[in-house]
């Protein structure tokens, strides 16, 4: 029997913290002591129309949270719990949930729909709730079903479709679901609420409808209903219908041909005259078509050789009208759109789509857009000028350089002048367009640039003038400088055209970073990252003294941040942000100057002071600083080499802290990387710290609380440490390998359908092999025999990986290398093992046929190592 | 997701700022640089080895020759050989038969050569239709034998190469019949065994074409290599996971007698293949399981375990034993009682396997034991009173992880009454005390520290037994003495809720505020 829990549910939402905590504890206790009864009681509460809305709401939430969680381990646990519950009791719960769909309270129906979908996601794949679809459909077809029941039923169907895979239903069920949904969209028979629910359900059911879309009659019917619905009188329903069309555009691109005239008319009417929410979806329809066609074009590149899916050239066929339609959207700007990152309106969507169209059709777009640009760019109306500039900037990626170069060359001077336009929006878009020009039409390295020694002085002076403009414009100018500098990155060893302007550019960027007006932090970030790119891409022989001067200036700025008055957490955050930016600049400077022997001493001379600063930054206890300071320390360790050991006593506690920072796992991850850098710098001198480092690494790897993305770098770090300390790794080898074996086992059990998980599995496996390689190489000539007990596991693991078709090339390479290391290092003792593991011959052959040169070289080396082994007597 | 929030489509605007992306790119680059440096270092170490060892270069060259040069030659020979077979098949004149056999033999020789036979080249040249033609009824034995042999080697290749045999299957099956000579039938069985080993799809094809009955009848004779090969092919054919082939096999008259007879008397190699058939039958068919039990199979399995030292044989025999024990623990009990502590008793042979150096054997033996230990109180007493106890305790502290885990199951099961209902299982204190005093606690606490959730749970459950069940309340002290508190406290924030709750409540209950006060 269900328990009466209304009072607890209400108390758990009390304003009085004491009451609330107590009630929460009682609920939790109930849940722990008797989960089945708890869930039943919640379902009873949710179903009971006499109960208060608040208690029903919480009951629904608790039910949902007992079935689903974001964290996958927790989710697995919940699923297992559910499976363990008595079948009869579960049917009771499910019956209550289904009954709730007919409740008079909208919210309870809505929650119930969600909970049913969660149960379905667990049970349907296991064929444990075969009657669900039938009873939902029954709600739809039964004579006299009230509209609100139909609405919630459709909502439920939509959620269920979203949660399960269409393989979980038989085609018959799919057909019935689809029929019910599409009938729910029928204008003459249903209320607006039902039609809206039906249209949203269809959106989720579309993925299910492969078979139905293959059948022309069914497809025609579905498309007819969607198109009709797209003309409903309720805007919200129209929007939902257009969302269906967007999804159809990408899922069923192949069969759209016959509907295109209708769809073009529908979308262009919507773009021209409908409410913004609908018009945005209509534009999105065309953006999705572009995505599909761009994908197909890339797939079709001559070197892939595969037969590509059909390309219907919809964009090309509709081009003149489509471009016209999009150009018109550009004139619908909002007054303040440049100030806010979250704005997404029709002109932005239109421009974004125009950019995609340009990438789809290339040269063909240019003659269609240029008349619009020419007509409007000098208009007295700022909207026309901005739209013209935006259109021009949008089509710079896609068409050939040959096609674009003459126009850009002709228009460049105009744009440079437009940086003085009287309107803020026009200047913003002008600066952005310049940055696009430098991004796509400025690569002296590959032989073409719109920038010549003649016009460069003018360009630089305009940019440095404009960077003083209002913050949103200045930020776009930073982008232009960024791309300008990047173009000169590989411009020969002798000289960079940008070198003469370097001091001035750096000065202006620093000034921009210092500004305090408006959205200064966004501008500051852009200015410092641009400074980094300018430094990174500079010609070191010409720039070394400038960078050498920049170094103390940045150090001074970093020192000054320590003295900022900190009163609020806001102050603390701003300080941290500023320190992060400055540490970033130091990282780039250190990397740049330590790249050559003649400039390295500059870093060496300043290393003590730099390190002292970093330690002070750590002292400020702000984790986002940790991250950037750590990165910079990695660069410093590489620069100073073994001398870095003198910083270790003081630095070490921060390394430990970083390793223990589970919450901010990026910090932990970067710390692990830096420890690798330090190992390479110190070699054996890292030894005194290894006990603690290894202890923490092992502890972390055993913890379930650490974000999984940090684990692969940790295994790689085993390898780094072993390479550094060689035979001394002996004391760690047993626990380290034990964990490696455990992780290898975990990899083998992962769900291969989950792409993200497979990506992680690949990283993990690669890192385990890297650890093996590091340890083996470290033991070479000294303690090789220590690895003998693990040789079998290593080969088993390689074998397992070799049979996995989903492994990526980097895993293969690491596996082959580790196998070679085993043969090389442990030698003769493994001969018998290799004899038992016959897979390797085929595996190596496969690698030798690879296209990847690196892999081939590695495989050949490994083959040599094993061959030597086999020939030994 | 069926959560709230509109799913409206929205993409990143084309017009965006440089700051965020650039920072990300810079950090990414730092990581990439570190990776490159590591690779450089590793590569340098690898290369330097090659330099110090003069002979590596030679080995390399030699090896490349084998792969890069010899392989194409082999492939060319294979294509040529298929061409010759084609003309031999077309040739109708004098000596035609000899010509065909010669061509077939050459092809077979090539396909048997080297570790990487030129199967693909042979297939590309059109070998299959020719080989099928050579299998036609009424062909001389020698020709049949050579074609079946070629097909056998082709089937041993990659999956798609195995699949290429599809057109040949009806004739291969036809030649299994009693009218064929023994060598031909055996060679065909071999080819079919390879095909069956490839996968379920091909097994289904073979079953639907009637491969099973004639193969089954081939194991009726008392001895000979034909029996062995057929048994091997048969085990491939019934291996599941679907059970219908096993069910079909049981229905064949006399098959179980044949199996029992071979298990009792035949040589070890044949017994190995027979034992694999038993493994699959006992896993997939209830009828077979009960009929084999009635036929006294347990004793036969135990005898084999006692007398053989062949790993190949011991593994399937042990696994079969485990399957039977899992199904019918009572049958085991009768054996336990009848022959306690003799070399041939079930515990005795399991102890022998546990002592072996071989990991799979150890693990399987521990698994069988854990099944027995999960049985009635008599089972538990029986195990507890045997020589196997010290062995188990030693394994718990010295063996690789997966074996330790199985052994932990055995030991844990020995200490508790079999579970009934929801209440906490009662403790068999006598066993618990002797096992703990045997020094196993450390081993269990090791398991608690393992990342494997199941093992950790096992460890925690055992700690709970010790805390609750050791006399005079000495449990907590013992646990503390082995660093058990520390091990449990690791779970304080563990993501697995069940383990977290279990560990926390144990710590709270036994090591709460009052702990240690009366000392």
């Amino acid at each position: 029997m269900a328990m009466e829990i209304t009072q607890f549910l209400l108390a758990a939402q009390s304003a009085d913290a004491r009451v609330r905590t107590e009630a929460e504890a009682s609920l939790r206790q109930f849940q722990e002591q008797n989960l089945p009864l708890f869930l039943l009681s919640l379902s009873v509460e949710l179903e009971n129309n006499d109960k208060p809305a608040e208690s029903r709401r919480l009951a629904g939430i608790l039910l949902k949270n007992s079935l689903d969680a974001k964290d996958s381990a927790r989710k697995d646990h919940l699923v297992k719990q559910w499976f363990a519950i008595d079948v009869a009791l579960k049917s009771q719960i499910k019956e209550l949930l289904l009954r709730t769909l007919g409740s008079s309270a909208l919210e309870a129906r809505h929650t119930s729909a969600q909970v049913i979908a969660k149960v379905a996601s667990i049970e349907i794949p296991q064929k444990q709730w075969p009657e669900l679809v039938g009873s939902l459909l029954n709600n739809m077809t039964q004579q006299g079903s009230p509209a609100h029941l139909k609405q919630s039923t459709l909502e439920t169907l939509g959620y269920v479709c979203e949660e399960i895979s269409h393989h979980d239903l038989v085609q018959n069920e799919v057909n019935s679901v689809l029929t019910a949904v599409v009938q729910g969209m029928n204008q003459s028979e249903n209320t607006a609420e039902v039609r809206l629910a039906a249209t949203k359900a269809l959106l989720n059911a579309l993925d299910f409808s492969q078979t139905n879309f293959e059948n022309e009659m069914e497809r025609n019917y579905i498309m007819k209903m969607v198109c009709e619905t797209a003309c409903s009188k309720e805007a919200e329903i129209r929007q939902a219908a257009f969302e269906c069309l967007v999804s159809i555009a990408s899922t069923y691109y192949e069969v759209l041909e016959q509907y295109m005239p209708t769809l073009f008319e529908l979308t262009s009417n919507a773009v021209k005259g409908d409410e913004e929410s609908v018009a945005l979806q209509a534009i999105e329809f065309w953006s999705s078509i572009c995505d599909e066609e761009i994908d197909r074009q890339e797939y079709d590149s001559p070197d892939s050789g595969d037969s590509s899916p059909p390309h219907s050239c919809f964009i090309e066929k509709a081009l003149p009208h489509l471009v016209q339609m999009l150009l018109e959207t550009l004139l619908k700007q909002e007054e303040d759109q440049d100030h806010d990152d979250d704005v997404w309106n029709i002109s932005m969507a239109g421009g974004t789509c125009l950019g995609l169209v340009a990438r789809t059709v290339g040269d063909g777009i240019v003659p269609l857009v240029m008349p619009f640009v020419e007509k409007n760019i000098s208009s007295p109306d700022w909207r026309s000028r901005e739209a013209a500039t935006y259109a021009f900037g949008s089509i710079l990626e896609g068409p050939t350089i040959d096609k674009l170069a003459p126009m850009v060359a002709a228009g460049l001077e105009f744009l440079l002048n437009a940086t003085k336009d009287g309107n803020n929006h026009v200047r913003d878009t002008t600066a952005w367009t310049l940055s696009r020009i430098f991004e796509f039409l400025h690569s002296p390295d590959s032989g073409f640039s719109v920038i010549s020694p003649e016009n460069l002085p003018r360009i630089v002076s305009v940019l440095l003038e404009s960077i003083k403009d209002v913050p949103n414009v200045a930020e776009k100018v930073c982008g232009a400088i960024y791309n300008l500098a990047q173009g000169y990155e590989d411009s020969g060893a002798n000289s960079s055209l940008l070198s003469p302007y370097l001091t001035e550019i750096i000065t202006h960027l620093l000034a921009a970073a210092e500004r305090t007006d408006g959205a200064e932090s966004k501008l500051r970030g852009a200015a410092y990252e641009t400074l980094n790119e300018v430094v990174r891409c500079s010609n070191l022989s010409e720039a070394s003294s400038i960078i050498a001067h920049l170094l103390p200036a940045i150090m001074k700025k970093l020192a000054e941040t320590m003295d900022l008055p900190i009163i609020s957490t806001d102050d603390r955050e701003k300080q941290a942000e500023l320190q992060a930016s400055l540490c970033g600049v130091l990282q780039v400077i250190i990397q740049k100057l330590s790249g050559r022997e003649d400039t390295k001493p500059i870093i060496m001379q300043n290393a003590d002071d730099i390190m002292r600063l970093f330690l002070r930054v750590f002292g400020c206890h702000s984790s986002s600083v940790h991250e950037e300071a750590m990165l910079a320390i990695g660069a410093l360790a590489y620069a100073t080499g073994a001398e870095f050991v003198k910083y270790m006593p003081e630095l070490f506690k921060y390394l430990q802290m970083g390793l223990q920072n589970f919450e901010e796992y990026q910090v932990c991850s970067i710390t692990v990387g830096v420890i690798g850098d330090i190992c390479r710098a110190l070699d054996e001198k890292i030894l005194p710290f290894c006990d603690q480092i290894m202890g923490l690494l092992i502890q972390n790897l055993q913890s379930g609380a650490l974000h999984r993305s940090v684990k692969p770098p940790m295994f790689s770090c085993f390898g780094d440490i072993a390479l550094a300390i060689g035979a001394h790794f002996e004391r760690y080898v047993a626990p380290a390998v034990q964990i490696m074996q455990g992780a290898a086992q975990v990899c083998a059990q992962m769900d291969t359908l989950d792409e993200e998980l497979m990506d992680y599995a690949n990283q993990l496996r690669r890192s385990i092999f890297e650890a093996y390689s590091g340890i083996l190489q470290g033991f070479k000539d000294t303690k090789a025999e220590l690895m003998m007990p693990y040789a079998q596991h290593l080969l088993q693991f390689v074998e397992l990986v070799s049979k996995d078709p989903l492994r990526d090339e980097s895993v293969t390479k690491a596996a082959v290398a580790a196998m070679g290391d085993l043969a090389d290092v442990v030698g003769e003792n493994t001969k018998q093992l290799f004899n038992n593991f016959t897979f390797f011959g085929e595996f190596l052959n496969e690698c030798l046929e690879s296209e990847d040169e690196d892999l081939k070289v590695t495989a050949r080396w490994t083959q040599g190592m094993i061959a030597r082994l086999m020939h030994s007597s | 997701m069926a959560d709230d929030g509109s799913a409206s489509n929205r993409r990143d605007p084309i017009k965006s700022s440089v700051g965020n992306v650039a920072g990300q790119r810079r950090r990414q680059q730092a990581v990439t640089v570190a990776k490159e440096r590591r690779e450089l270092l590793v590569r340098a170490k690898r290369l330097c080895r090659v330099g110090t060892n003069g002979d590596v270069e030679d080995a390399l060259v030699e090896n490349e020759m084998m792969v890069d040069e010899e392989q194409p030659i082999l492939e060319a020979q294979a294509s040529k050989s298929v061409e010759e077979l084609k003309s031999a098949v077309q040739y109708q004149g004098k000596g035609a038969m000899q010509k065909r056999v010669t061509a077939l033999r050459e092809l077979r020789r090539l396909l048997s050569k080297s570790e990487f036979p030129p199967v693909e080249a042979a297939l590309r040249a059109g070998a299959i239709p020719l080989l099928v033609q050579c299998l036609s009824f009424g062909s001389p034995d020698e020709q049949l034998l050579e074609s079946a042999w070629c097909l056998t080697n082709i089937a041993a290749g990659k999956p798609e190469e195995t699949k290429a045999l599809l057109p040949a299957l009806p004739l291969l099956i036809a030649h299994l019949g009693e009218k064929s000579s023994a060598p031909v039938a055996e060679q065909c069985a071999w080819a079919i065994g390879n095909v069956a080993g490839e996968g379920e799809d091909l097994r289904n094809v073979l079953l639907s074409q009637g491969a099973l009955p004639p193969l089954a009848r081939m194991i009726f004779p008392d001895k000979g290599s034909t029996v062995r090969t057929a048994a091997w092919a048969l085990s491939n054919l019934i291996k599941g996971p679907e059970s219908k082939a096993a069910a079909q096999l049981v229905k064949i008259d006399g098959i179980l007698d044949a199996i029992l007879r071979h298990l009792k008397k035949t040589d070890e190699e044949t017994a190995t293949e027979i034992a694999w058939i038993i493994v699959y039958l006992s896993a997939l068919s209830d009828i077979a399981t009960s009929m084999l039990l009635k036929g006294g199979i347990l004793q036969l399995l135990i005898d084999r375990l006692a007398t053989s030292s062949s790993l190949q044989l011991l593994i399937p025999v042990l696994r079969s034993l485990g399957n039977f024990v899992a199904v019918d623990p009572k049958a085991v009990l009768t054996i336990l009682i009848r022959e306690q502590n003799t070399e041939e008793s079930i515990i005795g042979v399991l102890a022998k396997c546990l002592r072996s150096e071989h990991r799979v054997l150890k693990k399987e033996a521990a698994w069988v034991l854990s099944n027995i230990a999960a049985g009635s109180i008599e089972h538990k007493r029986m195990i507890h009173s045997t020589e196997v106890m010290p062995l188990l305790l030693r394994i718990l502290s010295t063996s690789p992880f997966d074996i330790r885990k199985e052994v932990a199951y055995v030991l844990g099961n020995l200490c508790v009454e079999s579970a009934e209902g929801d209440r906490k299982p009662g403790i068999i204190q006598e066993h618990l005390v002797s096992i703990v005093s045997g020094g196993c606690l450390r081993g269990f606490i090791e398991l608690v520290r393992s990342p494997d959730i199941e093992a950790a749970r096992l460890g925690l459950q055992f700690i709970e037994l010790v805390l609750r069940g050791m006399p005079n309340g000495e449990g907590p002290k013992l646990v503390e003495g082995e660093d058990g508190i520390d091990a449990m406290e690791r779970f304080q924030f563990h993501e697995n809720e069940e383990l977290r709750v279990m560990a926390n409540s144990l710590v709270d209950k036994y090591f709460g505020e009052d702990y240690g006060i009366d000392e």
Side-chain angles (χ1 to χ4, degrees), chain A residues 247-490:
Chain A
S247 167
I248 290 170
S250 42
T251 316
Y252 300 111
Y253 174 90
E254 280 90 353
V255 295
L256 284 186
E257 182 101 56
Q258 60 188 118
Y259 312 107
M260 267 321 207
T262 318
L263 294 175
F264 184 84
E265 200 188 324
L266 268 178
T267 49
S268 76
N269 287 341
V271 171
K272 279 184 189 128
D274 211 324
E275 288 181 26
E276 186 170 55
S277 62
V278 184
L280 284 174
Q281 294 306 321
I283 295 174
E284 183 60 29
F285 172 83
W286 289 103
S287 291
S288 299
I289 297 279
C290 288
D291 286 344
E292 284 303 310
E293 299 198 340
I294 291 169
D295 265 5
R296 282 165 164 75
Q297 281 154 214
E298 278 169 6
Y299 192 68
D300 206 21
S301 64
D303 44 290
S304 76
D306 301 301
S307 68
S308 56
H311 188 314
S312 307
C313 302
F314 293 138
I315 299 295
E316 204 179 309
K317 288 174 194 158
L319 197 60
H321 303 289
L322 183 60
V323 169
Q324 195 49 44
M325 173 181 97
L326 292 171
L327 288 174
E328 281 163 28
T329 65
L330 303 187
L331 291 158
K332 300 182 179 172
Q333 308 94 327
E334 282 174 89
E335 286 287 348
D336 290 326
Q337 63 182 29
D338 294 323
H339 294 294
D340 193 347
D341 273 346
D342 296 329
V343 177
W344 181 242
N345 60 34
I346 195 160
S347 70
M348 294 166 88
T352 304
C353 187
L354 193 63
L356 289 167
V357 172
R359 286 175 54 202
T360 312
V361 300
D363 287 354
I365 198 166
V366 176
L368 296 171
V369 170
M370 284 318 285
F372 177 84
V373 175
E374 282 154 13
K375 177 173 157 236
N376 289 295
I377 199 139
S378 303
S379 161
D381 174 14
W382 74 264
R383 287 179 189 276
S384 303
R385 296 199 302 281
E386 198 274 344
T389 318
Y390 191 18
F392 189 63
S394 297
I395 61 166
L396 290 173
E397 186 186 9
T400 56
I401 287 183
D402 289 345
K403 187 83 184 174
L404 290 172
M407 289 169 341
V408 172
L412 187 59
E413 185 54 32
F414 186 95
L415 286 168
L416 291 172
N417 284 325
T419 57
K420 305 272 186 319
D421 193 287
N423 180 278
N424 177 338
H425 293 283
V426 177
R427 294 200 304 280
D428 186 285
T429 305
T430 301
W432 170 76
T433 301
L434 285 171
S435 96
R436 297 263 295 176
I437 290 176
F438 302 153
E439 185 177 357
F440 299 109
L441 291 142
H442 166 52
S443 50
D445 191 31
S446 60
F448 178 81
S449 173
V450 294
I451 302 172
S452 61
E454 289 72 40
N455 63 13
L456 182 60
R458 162 110 172 105
I459 290 171
V460 173
S461 89
V462 166
L463 291 177
L464 296 186
E465 192 53 41
S466 286
I467 202 170
K468 298 176 198 153
D469 205 331
V470 290
N472 62 302
V473 177
E475 201 188 309
K476 303 292 188 302
V477 173
C478 287
I481 297 174
Y482 185 99
N483 288 319
L484 180 68
Q486 203 170 56
Y488 289 118
E489 181 179 1
D490 299 310

Side-chain angles (χ1 to χ4, degrees), chain A residues 723 777 861, chain B residues 36-51:
Chain A
L723 279 171
Q777 301 222 16
W861 176 80
Chain B
E36 279 166 8
R37 286 186 186 139
R38 174 188 302 134
E39 267 179 30
L40 224 63
L41 183 67
V42 169
R43 195 169 299 164
K45 292 211 173 192
R46 279 187 192 133
L47 284 180
C48 134
R49 304 254 161 77
V50 178

Side-chain angles (χ1 to χ4, degrees), chain B residues 190-492:
Chain B
W190 196 336
I192 286 170
N194 277 344
V195 174
E198 178 46 44
E200 180 134 42
D201 289 350
L202 285 172
R203 282 200 280 283
N204 284 335
V205 172
L206 285 169
L207 289 170
S208 69
Q209 295 184 354
L212 190 135
L215 261 188
R217 278 191 286 275
M218 283 173 76
I219 72 162
F220 285 1
D222 272 340
K223 56 184 176 203
S225 66
T226 312
V227 174
R228 187 164 64 235
T229 306
W232 166 78
L234 202 53
S235 72
N236 268 354
L237 193 58
I238 66 167
K239 71 164 62 151
E242 276 206 52
S243 61
K244 62 172 189 268
Q248 194 188 348
L249 180 59
V250 184
K251 289 197 196 111
I252 290 176
D253 272 347
I255 188 74
L256 295 180
D257 285 345
I259 288 172
L260 289 166
R261 197 175 72 237
H262 286 308
L263 186 60
K264 190 165 185 178
K265 286 200 280 204
T266 188
D267 61 283
E268 293 208 323
E269 279 179 58
T270 307
T272 302
E273 305 307 342
I274 294 288
W276 278 111
I277 296 181
I278 300 172
V279 167
Y280 298 127
L281 283 178
S282 56
L284 295 169
S285 162
D286 294 341
I287 304 175
T289 309
S290 70
M291 286 170 70
L292 288 169
L293 275 172
K294 263 185 224 142
I297 193 152
L298 282 183
Q299 196 54 52
L300 297 177
L301 290 171
I302 290 169
D303 291 346
R304 281 286 181 184
L305 281 177
T307 53
S308 171
S309 55
S310 150
L311 189 61
Q312 269 72 28
L313 175 57
L314 290 177
I315 288 175
V317 168
L318 191 51
R319 188 170 301 170
S320 301
L321 186 62
N323 285 346
F324 285 114
V325 169
V327 171
D328 191 354
K330 277 207 197 87
V332 178
L333 192 60
T334 52
I335 294 182
L336 272 173
I337 291 168
R338 202 170 59 224
E339 311 195 37
Q340 192 185 345
N341 258 341
T342 65
E343 185 58 21
E344 289 76 27
S345 83
I346 185 164
I347 304 294
V349 293
L350 291 176
K352 171 183 160 190
C353 295
L354 283 175
R355 261 185 239 112
S356 112
E357 277 311 302
H358 199 274
R359 170 189 180 111
V360 176
L361 216 51
K362 273 188 179 174
K363 190 173 160 185
E364 297 266 343
W367 177 65
V368 177
L369 264 177
S370 74
N371 271 331
I372 301 176
S376 71
I377 185 80
E378 288 94 335
H379 287 100
K380 295 176 202 276
R381 288 219 184 95
M382 208 59 73
I383 297 178
H384 187 251
S385 63
T386 62
E387 51 171 329
V388 82
M389 288 309 295
L391 204 52
L392 288 173
L393 290 169
R394 203 179 69 229
I395 289 175
L396 185 66
S397 57
T398 56
S399 283
F401 175 73
D402 51 347
I403 298 172
R404 266 191 291 147
K405 194 165 119 184
E406 290 295 346
V407 165
Y409 269 116
V410 182
L411 292 173
N413 278 337
L414 287 180
C415 295
V416 292
E417 292 164 3
S418 297
E420 280 162 38
D422 276 346
R423 65 187 179 81
K424 275 192 188 156
I427 295 175
I428 306 172
Q429 201 179 45
E430 182 200 346
H431 292 181
L432 180 66
V433 170
S434 91
I435 285 172
V436 169
S437 66
C440 74
L441 189 52
R442 179 184 295 265
F444 276 100
I445 287 173
E446 265 316 293
L447 289 182
V448 173
R449 293 204 168 92
S450 134
D452 179 304
I453 299 281
E454 212 185 322
R457 181 186 301 121
L458 207 52
L460 281 175
Q461 283 166 343
F462 192 81
I463 291 184
E464 195 273 336
L465 292 180
V466 171
L467 291 172
R468 176 157 58 99
M470 286 303 282
N472 310 323
E474 62 177 340
K477 240 175 277 169
L478 287 170
V479 170
E480 186 183 19
E482 297 290 357
D483 274 346
I485 304 181
D486 170 65
M488 285 191 283
E489 278 175 347
R490 280 159 191 254
F491 288 91
Q492 209 163 4

Side-chain angles (χ1 to χ4, degrees), chain B residues 9-206:
Chain B
N9 310 297
R10 169 167 176 181
R11 52 180 70 224
D12 289 333
I14 191 171
K15 201 175 153 187
S16 60
S17 170
V18 68
N20 306 339
V21 187
Q24 234 161 16
R25 213 179 289 157
R26 177 173 52 78
R27 284 187 285 272
Q28 198 52 49
Q29 211 158 20
V31 175
T32 316
V33 166
K35 252 187 217 159
E36 279 166 8
R37 286 186 186 139
R38 174 188 302 134
E39 267 179 30
L40 224 63
L41 183 67
V42 169
R43 195 169 299 164
K45 292 211 173 192
R46 279 187 192 133
L47 284 180
C48 134
R49 304 254 161 77
V50 178
T52 53
N53 266 305
D55 56 5
V56 172
E57 282 303 313
D58 296 343
L60 240 157
V61 172
E62 219 172 294
N63 215 280
E64 268 177 326
M65 274 179 57
M66 186 191 97
V67 175
D68 293 347
E69 288 175 40
E70 201 168 305
Q71 196 67 17
I73 295 174
L74 212 53
E75 284 172 9
Q77 286 173 337
S79 314
K80 187 158 152 273
S81 168
V82 173
E83 285 308 317
E84 267 161 28
L85 178 59
K86 193 178 287 172
S87 71
V89 166
Q90 278 157 3
Y91 178 75
Q92 297 292 347
K94 196 173 144 212
M97 201 270 276
Q98 201 45 47
K99 221 172 143 91
R100 279 201 294 275
V101 170
T102 311
L104 280 168
R105 186 169 299 141
E106 173 60 17
L107 180 60
R108 181 260 295 169
R109 205 182 53 76
L110 282 169
L111 289 174
S112 317
K113 212 176 163 184
S114 111
E115 209 176 322
F116 311 107
V119 173
E120 209 187 316
L123 289 179
R124 238 185 341 223
I128 293 286
L130 297 171
L131 291 170
V132 172
Q133 210 173 332
C134 291
L135 278 179
S136 57
F137 292 111
S139 302
D141 272 5
E142 208 177 353
Q143 179 181 325
L144 290 173
L145 187 68
E146 290 291 355
S147 329
W149 197 341
C150 288
L151 287 166
T152 302
N153 289 1
I154 291 173
K158 300 178 191 139
E160 62 277 18
E161 293 166 355
T162 312
K163 260 189 215 126
L165 251 72
L166 274 172
L169 295 182
L171 281 168
L172 284 172
I173 293 170
H175 288 298
L176 293 176
E178 282 132 25
K179 290 194 185 113
S180 302
S181 74
V184 170
E186 183 179 351
Q187 195 61 53
C188 291
W190 196 336
I192 286 170
N194 277 344
V195 174
E198 178 46 44
E200 180 134 42
D201 289 350
L202 285 172
R203 282 200 280 283
N204 284 335
V205 172
L206 285 169

Side-chain angles (χ1 to χ4, degrees), chain A residues 41 72 191 421 430 512 849:
Chain A
S41 309
S72 68
T191 64
D421 193 287
T430 301
E849 282 163 21

